[in-house]
Amino acid sequence: MTQSAASLGPVPVLPNYLDEQLVTRMGIEILRCEPDLVVGTMPVRGNRQPIGIMHGGANAVLAETLGSLAAWVHAGPDRIIVGQELSCTHHHAVRSGLVTGVCRPLHVGRGVATYEIVISDERERRACTARLTCALPQPRRQTRPAKDS
């Protein structure tokens, strides 16, 4: 899957914010973005704690990015996805290379969606398991001016 500066997977980036995308700073690349599977990678380099291992917050950024994209694909382009809760369990320290996040749905409904995101190192060792719940608010209805009678 290709992504441009103007989009992240299927999500258009508003022109005023093209130079302010966290995924760009983190080096996140989206490889697949389908209704039941979102996959992305992120380098360890540039996303470390002072002691040299991958920062747990970087895992959280990758997890929330993948889960939010999955919720967007589920809900449709006329909805704005809002993360409600994110939890991350860190299992294994990663010191180099790329990590890969694989996001799959646990529950998808009309108003809320929950995803499990498994982040693994290049040797396929699980480094982090995250769970993200997103609210899927209904699109705002546009009010129409009253007709003259």
Side-chain angles (χ1 to χ4, degrees), residues 4-145:
S4 71
S7 69
L8 178 64
V11 181
V13 176
L14 296 175
N16 291 348
Y17 305 113
L18 287 175
D19 296 333
E20 298 181 25
Q21 296 304 298
L22 183 57
V23 294
T24 303
R25 289 191 178 111
M26 304 291 287
I28 295 172
E29 295 289 332
I30 305 303
L31 305 178
R32 288 180 76 174
C33 192
E34 301 167 5
D36 292 328
L37 178 66
V38 178
V39 179
T41 61
M42 182 176 63
V44 174
R45 183 181 180 100
N47 295 313
R48 298 180 193 273
Q49 294 182 359
I51 60 172
I53 62 175
M54 175 118 106
H55 196 288
N59 282 326
V61 169
L62 179 58
E64 183 138 2
T65 298
L66 300 179
S68 294
L69 283 173
W72 186 288
V73 170
H74 165 69
D78 62 337
R79 308 274 286 277
I80 294 176
I81 305 309
V82 181
Q84 282 186 308
E85 182 178 14
L86 174 67
S87 65
C88 298
T89 301
H90 305 287
H91 308 290
H92 170 73
V94 181
R95 299 183 184 285
S96 64
L98 284 176
V99 293
T100 299
V102 177
C103 173
R104 297 186 189 278
L106 294 174
H107 166 81
V108 287
R110 284 185 271 153
V112 69
T114 302
Y115 297 89
E116 179 182 66
I117 304 94
V118 174
I119 299 172
S120 303
D121 66 12
E122 291 179 319
R123 293 174 56 192
E124 298 184 8
R125 293 178 294 185
R126 186 180 291 225
C128 176
T129 303
R131 182 173 151 158
L132 175 68
T133 299
C134 292
L136 314 173
Q138 293 296 318
R140 293 183 184 181
R141 293 184 182 180
Q142 294 184 353
T143 58
R144 295 182 183 180

